[in-house]
Amino acid sequence: MHQVFEITRTSRKVLAQFLEQYTLEQLNKIPEGFKNNLIWNIGHCIVVQQMLVYKLSGLPMMVSEELFEKYRKGTQPESDVSPAELEELKRLLFETINQTKTDVARKIFKSYDEFTSLSGFTMRNVEDAIAFNYYHEAMHIGMMMSIRKFI
């Protein structure tokens, strides 16, 4: 399972590069023709991983309900992200993955509410959710690579 988390860490390093290479103004900019921005995609990746792994396992998420509601599926940016929220997202980017790795090793995931993604992949357990998360984050990184061309 070590490799599983290394893949996710690699994805998160790519997301972190966006946070380091762009100003807050650029991260918040929604280019014409897009529904969201760079920072929304990063927040979305964080909260969806937490939903897929923890919430559907019946366990508390590491993200606040406020963050979850702001970045969950079906949302889009309603206001600019503040410097404080940016720092929180930077912190959560790796803390969430490190904690998930610890919790998998501790075997805290006992149950799972089956969930089918919009792409049609059905997750039946936490291992499926962790694997699907690669695909989900890669899809959003691709979108971010398109957005960055217009900011």
Side-chain angles (χ1 to χ4, degrees), residues 19-106:
L19 296 175
E20 299 304 322
Q21 294 174 356
Y22 294 92
T23 66
L24 186 55
E25 182 181 347
Q26 290 171 314
L27 292 168
N28 278 306
K29 182 178 169 95
I30 302 172
E32 190 173 328
F34 290 87
K35 292 184 179 180
N36 54 50
N37 53 30
L38 294 174
I39 195 73
W40 181 90
N41 279 278
I42 293 169
H44 178 73
C45 285
I46 293 167
V47 303
V48 167
Q49 184 269 343
Q50 289 289 290
M51 184 271 299
L52 291 174
V53 174
Y54 288 89
K55 190 171 187 165
L56 292 174
S57 294
L59 298 170
M61 297 184 293
M62 290 179 61
V63 298
S64 67
E65 191 62 30
E66 178 184 55
L67 271 185
F68 179 74
E69 288 300 320
K70 184 173 183 176
Y71 294 106
R72 67 180 171 75
K73 180 184 79 167
T75 64
Q76 58 189 54
E78 294 180 8
S79 62
D80 284 351
V81 169
S82 69
E85 187 174 330
L86 173 62
E87 291 306 312
E88 181 178 16
L89 292 173
K90 283 181 181 179
R91 178 182 56 79
L92 288 169
L93 201 56
F94 291 100
E95 278 185 12
T96 51
I97 298 307
N98 293 339
Q99 187 62 50
T100 301
K101 182 178 181 182
T102 298
D103 290 342
V104 166
R106 289 177 43 222

Side-chain angles (χ1 to χ4, degrees), residues 131-148:
F132 176 78
N133 192 61
Y134 306 151
Y135 164 79
H136 180 257
E137 289 192 14
M139 186 177 65
H140 282 279
I141 289 170
M143 181 61 69
M144 293 170 69
M145 289 178 173
S146 294
I147 290 172
R148 74 179 177 185

